[in-house]
Amino acid sequence: MKLPRGRLDKSRVVTDPRDTLADVLDRELTGYAVFESQETLLLDGEGRGVITFTDGVPVLTYHTGTDRGGPPALADLAIPGPYHVSLYTLDAADLESAHEATDLRVPPGMPAERLGGDPALADSTRRAAPDERLSATDDDAAAVEDGTTEQSAVEAFLDDAEKIEAIKQQARSEARERAQQWEF
């Protein structure tokens, strides 16, 4: 996914992606957010998650490490935080060509449900979305768009042996460091 470079609006570390999604919706941001997980920052993991927004409502999702877009990219992003998040502002016209990529689209409330685990935020996002972006439910829309039923972010995470092994290795390394510091 190619996006023009936006104007950096905010950059910070968050423990829960829900905070960023709520902030973007409240401010009606048009632009994109780049999520870098703790795994990427500390374990030299690959990839970042990118979510584009129009007036605070998510439109596209893409993960640079897995080269997947749409709902599968949300599953790639759904790993334990914290996350370093950078928000960029763009004009809506600059996002038009990117937003034509239907294979990268996500239903409006899906990021809030899958990343933030917040049904109320998902409902608020759906209410803010234009009518043409809504369907019966976000999960139904995802299943219709790609012809399958997407597994939840937790199920996708549990099925990813590499991510689980990387977290185990990180925990072992941190435990060894603490043991050395405490002279065990």
Side-chain angles (χ1 to χ4, degrees), residues 3-169:
L3 289 174
R5 181 82 172 160
R7 181 181 53 82
L8 181 63
D9 192 47
K10 185 185 271 189
S11 181
R12 64 185 187 144
V13 174
V14 298
T15 56
D16 188 346
R18 180 218 168 281
D19 298 334
T20 298
L21 297 171
D23 182 40
V24 166
L25 182 62
D26 289 344
R27 295 188 308 134
E28 298 179 355
L29 178 88
T30 296
Y32 59 96
V34 178
F35 289 83
E36 289 182 90
S37 71
Q38 174 180 340
E39 177 182 290
T40 301
L41 296 171
L42 298 178
L43 299 176
D44 294 328
E46 292 187 22
R48 296 174 173 104
V50 178
I51 302 175
T52 67
F53 302 89
T54 299
D55 298 326
V57 177
V59 179
L60 302 178
T61 304
Y62 180 74
H63 192 276
T64 63
T66 60
D67 196 32
R68 299 192 317 169
L74 288 174
D76 296 334
L77 264 173
I79 60 175
Y83 298 85
H84 180 264
V85 181
S86 298
L87 295 178
Y88 295 89
T89 303
L90 276 173
D91 290 329
D94 293 331
L95 287 169
E96 282 179 12
S97 63
H99 285 175
E100 291 174 4
T102 58
D103 58 324
L104 303 179
R105 282 189 175 254
V106 290
M110 188 178 280
E113 288 174 336
R114 298 226 177 143
L115 294 180
D118 189 339
L121 178 59
D123 289 342
S124 296
T125 304
R126 284 186 204 98
R127 283 192 299 274
D131 290 340
E132 66 269 10
R133 297 257 346 269
L134 298 176
S135 67
T137 68
D138 284 355
D139 289 328
D140 290 344
V144 168
E145 284 179 17
D146 67 8
T148 64
T149 325
E150 292 297 325
Q151 63 190 39
S152 77
V154 172
E155 291 169 327
F157 172 74
L158 292 174
D159 286 343
D160 192 333
E162 285 181 24
K163 287 182 183 178
I164 291 172
E165 187 57 34
I167 291 170
K168 285 180 182 178
Q169 287 176 2

